[in-house]
């Protein structure tokens, strides 16, 4: 059953899934991290407390979080075309994956920062640190273990999202499983895809836990 | 040097209004150690946090070296804050940084060079006696060691003022004393002015030259340590300075009689309020009145030239002689109570 073409098909799918997960995770953080930081800093009682900024940003984040991912992919097609020139394939999938995960990441980042004891921010202020220094030297380093945990959660979510994208032409294990498993009804391939996805999720969780522990000195 | 002028601060929470500071004024001289004592909720924390404007007062001024802090721009204020060190009850060390890097933080904020940072941090760790802990993380340190790291960090910018926000309240008595000694040492060696708040009279007695008592947002008493301690009439000071009741040892209390009897001697509790020295009192009884006595317990502290505290005396002279001693106490305003006869 495991002939050469099946193996290469599965490997290609796995490679594409890993690629989509990590690259869109990276871009998701690029978008979500600053938004999360601003959400935190403009909260009541924080360094840059600003009710209207916080409210508007929060509403925007909530709107994007309410759009089901499968609809977001379709809804973003014109934008995706403008960005990467096509709406099909692995690279096209990066656009909705990044945009879909960014608001989720923003909320996770905000929560991680909330866990940092307020006394530390106060101490930094007493030492004459400005908001940027407080964020760089205190908030982010102190929240790092929690941020890493949240990165694992995000990447695992993205494994699932990318598989969903596979059904509408994004490639990766999702597409292999859908085409060969659902459409062609090849139970073997479908089960192998499942096992590979499970292994990938376990690996991300395992590495995330290790890394988070390494940076946790609390 | 530092003048707190008529500051007030009101906190509003939903419908509750809480006046944390009510027209508070205080002057602090260069090189002094000033303590503010008060019960929890009296406003002392708000007061000390007002000095570097972590808490902005609604009214009044904080004048530091001639500058009104509230009028400064945020970058000017940051610059002033660097010259005011602060330590906290819960130390507030960064868990993600080693001891060395925690002390280096203020220097990093100023973009100091690596060599400069390393030199300064090692110097400071020596001052607080933690050279060998440089590469440890805070979680492996004891409370006292953590506070030492925090003190080193507070000194990194060569401040002229150190604010101590309940700095010893989370420490055991022995560690508290060693931290207070370190603060005193820093005050004397480096000439850094210290303003501290506490709810413990022992902390005040250990290192402060001047004291202010805060109650319900107002400074009710201010003065030198001796002045404030001898003002026993003031209800707040009374509450703080009533030293622990003197315990009568079991061997005596079991045979203690309420009324005088032949062959029994009075057990007298004497309270020293600073108006007579401990030695003087004993020498009056023994040398002047020639009354034999047994000193059962004594809990006495010396503050400058005055003694404060309580002692339990078992006078063993004749009834007439003992009466003379009691009369001497009363004449000299030395509080005394006869606990019984044994």
């Amino acid at each position: 059953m495991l002939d050469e073409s099946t193996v290469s098909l599965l490997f290609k799918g796995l490679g594409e899934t890993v690629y989509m997960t990590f690259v869109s995770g990276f871009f998701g953080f690029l978008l979500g991290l600053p938004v999360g930081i601003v959400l935190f800093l403009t909260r009541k009682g924080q360094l840059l407390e600003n009710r209207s900024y916080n409210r508007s940003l929060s509403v925007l984040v909530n709107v994007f979080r309410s759009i089901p991912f499968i609809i977001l992919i379709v809804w973003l097609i014109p934008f995706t075309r403008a960005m990467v020139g096509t709406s099909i394939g692995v690279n096209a999938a990066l656009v909705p994956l990044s945009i879909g995960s960014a608001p989720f990441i923003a909320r996770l980042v905000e929560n991680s920062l909330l866990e940092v004891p307020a006394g530390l921010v106060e101490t930094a202020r007493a030492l004459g640190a400005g908001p940027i220094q407080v964020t760089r030297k205190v908030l982010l380093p102190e929240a790092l273990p929690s941020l890493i945990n949240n990165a694992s959660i995000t990447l695992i979510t993205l494994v699932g999202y990318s598989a969903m994208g596979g059904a509408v032409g994004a490639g990766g294990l999702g597409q292999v499983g859908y085409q060969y498993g659902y459409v062609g009804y090849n139970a073997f391939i479908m089960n192998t895809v499942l096992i590979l996805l499970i292994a990938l999720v376990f690996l991300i969780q395992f590495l995330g836990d290790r890394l988070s522990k390494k940076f946790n000195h609390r | 040097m530092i003048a707190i002028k008529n500051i007030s601060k009101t906190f509003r929470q939903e419908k509750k209004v809480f006046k944390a500071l009510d027209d508070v004024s205080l002057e602090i001289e260069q090189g002094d150690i000033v303590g503010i004592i008060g019960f929890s909720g009296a406003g002392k924390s708000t007061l000390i946090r007002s000095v570097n404007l972590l808490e902005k007062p609604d009214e009044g001024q904080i004048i530091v070296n001639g500058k009104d802090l509230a009028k400064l721009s945020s970058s000017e204020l940051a610059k002033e804050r660097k010259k005011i060190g602060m330590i906290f009850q819960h130390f507030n060390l960064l868990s993600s940084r080693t001891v060395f890097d925690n002390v280096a933080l203020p220097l990093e904020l100023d973009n100091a060079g690596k060599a400069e940072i390393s030199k300064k941090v090692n110097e400071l760790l020596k001052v607080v006696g933690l050279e060998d802990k440089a590469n440890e993380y805070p979680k492996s340190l004891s409370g006292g060691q953590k506070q030492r790291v925090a003190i080193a960090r507070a000194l990194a910018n060569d401040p002229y003022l150190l604010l101590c926000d309940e700095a010893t309240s989370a420490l055991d008595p022995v560690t508290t004393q060693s931290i207070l000694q370190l603060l005193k040492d820093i005050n004397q060696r480096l000439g850094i002015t210290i303003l501290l708040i506490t709810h413990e009279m022992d902390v005040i007695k250990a290192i402060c030259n001047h004291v202010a008592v805060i109650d319900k947002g107002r400074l009710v008493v201010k003065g030198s340590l001796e002045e404030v301690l001898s003002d026993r009439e003031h209800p707040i000071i009374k509450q703080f300075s009533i030293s622990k009741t003197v315990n009568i040892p079991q061997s005596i209390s079991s045979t203690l009689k309420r009324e005088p009897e032949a062959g029994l001697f009075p057990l007298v509790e004497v309270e020293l309020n600073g108006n007579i020295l401990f030695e003087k009192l004993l020498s009056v009884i023994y040398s002047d009145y020639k009354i034999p006595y047994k000193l059962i317990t004594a809990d006495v502290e010396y503050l400058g030239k005055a003694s404060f505290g309580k002692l339990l005396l078992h006078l063993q002279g004749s009834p007439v002689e003992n009466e003379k001693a009691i009369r001497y106490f009363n004449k000299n305003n030395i509080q005394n109570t006869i606990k019984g006869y044994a």
Side-chain angles (χ1 to χ4, degrees):
Chain A
M1 260 192 224
L2 257 181
D3 54 57
E4 219 166 277
S5 66
T6 316
V7 170
S8 76
L9 181 78
L10 289 170
F11 260 106
K12 185 167 168 281
L14 181 64
E16 285 175 352
T17 294
V18 169
Y19 173 82
M20 284 190 289
T21 302
F22 282 86
V23 175
S24 64
F26 172 78
F27 283 113
F29 260 91
L30 218 57
L31 288 170
L33 186 68
V35 175
I37 292 171
V38 174
L39 273 175
F40 172 79
L41 289 177
T42 54
R43 275 177 86 105
K44 191 171 181 320
Q46 300 298 341
L47 283 176
L48 302 173
E49 178 176 343
N50 188 314
R51 207 184 145 87
S52 51
Y53 277 6
N54 188 274
R55 272 288 175 82
S56 0
L57 203 55
S58 183
V59 165
L60 191 72
V61 165
N62 286 348
V63 165
F64 270 89
R65 282 196 66 192
S66 351
I67 304 175
F69 184 65
I70 199 96
I71 295 174
L72 187 76
I73 297 175
V74 180
W75 190 62
L76 279 176
I77 283 175
F79 181 69
T80 307
R81 279 216 183 98
M83 290 281 288
V84 290
T86 171
S87 62
I88 304 171
V90 176
N91 285 319
L94 292 178
V95 175
L97 282 173
S98 307
I99 291 176
S101 62
F104 179 63
I105 292 168
R107 282 293 181 210
L108 291 176
V109 168
E110 184 189 13
N111 269 310
S112 291
L113 297 181
L114 276 171
E115 286 167 26
V116 177
L120 297 184
V121 175
E122 178 138 274
T123 306
R125 282 174 65 209
L127 289 171
I132 294 173
Q133 285 183 318
V134 171
T135 308
R136 268 189 48 216
K137 299 276 184 187
V138 177
L139 285 173
L140 292 178
E142 284 297 304
L144 189 61
S146 159
L147 285 171
I148 293 171
N149 281 333
N150 284 333
S152 320
I153 295 175
T154 307
L155 290 174
I156 288 169
T157 309
L158 280 169
V159 170
Y161 277 7
S162 72
M164 221 190 287
V168 289
L173 284 175
Q175 187 173 27
V176 176
Y178 177 75
Q179 261 179 12
Y180 293 80
Y182 178 70
V183 180
Y185 209 77
N186 182 333
F188 174 74
I189 289 187
M190 194 162 69
N191 289 334
T192 315
V193 163
L194 262 180
I195 289 167
L196 285 174
L197 286 174
I198 290 169
L200 183 59
V201 167
F202 271 69
L203 188 70
I204 291 172
Q205 189 66 57
F206 173 74
L207 292 177
D209 287 347
R210 286 273 301 257
L211 211 57
S212 167
K213 218 174 182 176
K214 187 171 172 257
F215 286 105
N216 194 348
H217 300 288
R218 262 187 219 179
Chain B
M1 178 190 84
I2 296 148
I4 297 168
K5 287 189 179 167
N6 311 97
I7 62 169
S8 296
K9 174 85 188 179
T10 306
F11 290 108
R12 274 165 241 276
Q13 239 179 7
E14 281 160 37
K15 275 173 196 161
K16 275 188 203 153
V17 174
F18 174 68
K19 195 146 200 177
L21 292 177
D22 187 1
D23 195 22
V24 170
S25 295
L26 185 69
E27 284 195 18
I28 299 157
E29 292 300 324
Q30 174 98 47
D32 203 354
I33 303 184
V34 178
I36 297 169
I37 186 165
F39 296 110
S40 34
K44 52 190 190 304
S45 207
T46 311
L47 177 56
I48 200 164
R49 288 153 45 85
S50 298
V51 176
N52 60 358
L53 250 53
L54 284 178
E55 201 78 69
K56 263 202 164 141
D58 303 329
E59 284 164 58
Q61 294 171 301
I62 308 284
I63 312 279
V64 175
N65 291 329
K67 279 182 211 160
D68 184 348
L69 290 191
K71 292 216 171 89
L72 300 179
S73 70
S74 61
S75 65
E76 285 172 318
L77 176 62
K79 220 169 139 193
E80 286 301 319
R81 278 178 174 161
K82 287 179 187 182
K83 292 289 169 193
I84 303 176
M86 191 166 191
I87 55 173
F88 304 84
Q89 180 174 3
H90 298 298
F91 326 121
N92 293 357
L93 298 179
L94 300 193
S95 69
S96 58
R97 286 173 171 245
T98 60
V99 166
F100 182 97
D101 289 334
N102 263 290
V103 180
L105 177 67
L107 303 165
E108 280 176 33
L109 295 176
D110 272 347
N111 299 316
K114 264 207 167 137
E116 190 192 332
I117 289 180
S118 158
K119 184 170 166 270
K120 183 87 197 178
V121 172
N122 287 320
E123 240 174 69
L124 288 165
L125 288 178
K126 225 170 256 166
V127 170
V128 299
L130 287 177
E131 308 97 296
D132 53 330
K133 301 279 182 196
N135 295 317
E136 310 244 350
Y137 283 92
K139 80 166 172 198
S140 64
L141 302 181
S142 70
Q145 289 171 330
K146 284 181 190 166
Q147 197 59 289
R148 282 168 187 272
V149 177
I151 290 171
R153 177 176 65 184
L155 296 179
N157 281 326
D158 300 314
Y160 52 81
L161 172 66
L162 183 62
L163 303 174
C164 309
D165 186 353
E166 295 271 11
T168 56
S169 300
L171 304 174
D172 62 67
V174 176
T175 315
T176 294
Q177 285 308 319
S178 81
I179 292 292
L180 292 175
Q181 276 316 308
L182 175 63
L183 291 176
K184 200 168 191 172
D185 193 45
I186 285 165
N187 167 261
Q188 282 166 356
R189 269 177 34 202
L190 308 174
I192 296 174
T193 312
I194 294 179
L195 175 63
L196 62 87
I197 61 163
T198 180
H199 61 267
E200 293 170 307
M201 201 46 139
D202 287 341
V203 170
I204 299 276
K205 284 180 185 166
I207 63 168
C208 294
N209 305 319
H210 285 92
V211 190
V213 181
I214 188 168
D215 186 46
K216 299 193 181 89
R218 300 186 73 96
L219 289 187
V220 288
V221 189
K222 286 185 260 195
S224 72
L225 181 61
E226 287 84 5
E227 279 165 21
V228 170
L229 281 186
S230 48
D231 185 2
R232 289 288 170 119
E233 293 311 301
H234 201 288
I236 303 278
I237 301 172
K238 227 176 184 171
Q239 287 188 59
F240 274 113
S241 40
I242 289 173
S243 41
K244 311 114 229 171
T245 45
V246 176
N247 289 320
I248 301 169
Q250 194 129 47
S251 57
I252 299 177
S253 68
S254 58
T255 57
L256 203 64
K257 297 275 177 343
R258 285 236 197 123
E259 300 300 324
E261 271 176 43
L264 293 184
F265 298 110
L267 189 67
V268 190
E269 187 190 282
V270 180
E271 202 180 326
L272 299 175
N273 277 342
N275 46 7
I276 186 166
L277 260 180
F278 179 48
E279 291 87 348
K280 176 88 194 321
L281 180 91
L282 295 186
S283 91
V284 165
I285 298 170
Y286 195 68
S287 310
D288 298 3
Y289 290 91
K290 308 255 186 281
I291 305 170
Y293 68 88
K294 238 189 200 165
L295 182 58
I296 310 290
T297 57
D299 180 7
V300 181
E301 278 175 90
Y302 293 87
L303 294 161
K305 290 197 181 89
S307 311
F308 293 91
K310 279 184 179 167
L311 40 131
L312 209 53
L313 274 178
H314 198 194
L315 295 174
Q316 298 180 329
S318 68
V320 184
E321 284 172 329
N322 292 342
E323 192 53 43
K324 269 190 203 162
I326 305 281
R327 235 179 288 145
Y328 171 81
F329 295 153
N330 293 338
K331 210 173 75 194
N332 289 285
N333 271 328
I334 301 165
Q335 276 189 43
N336 62 86
T337 0
I338 295 177
K339 291 294 202 185
Y341 299 84

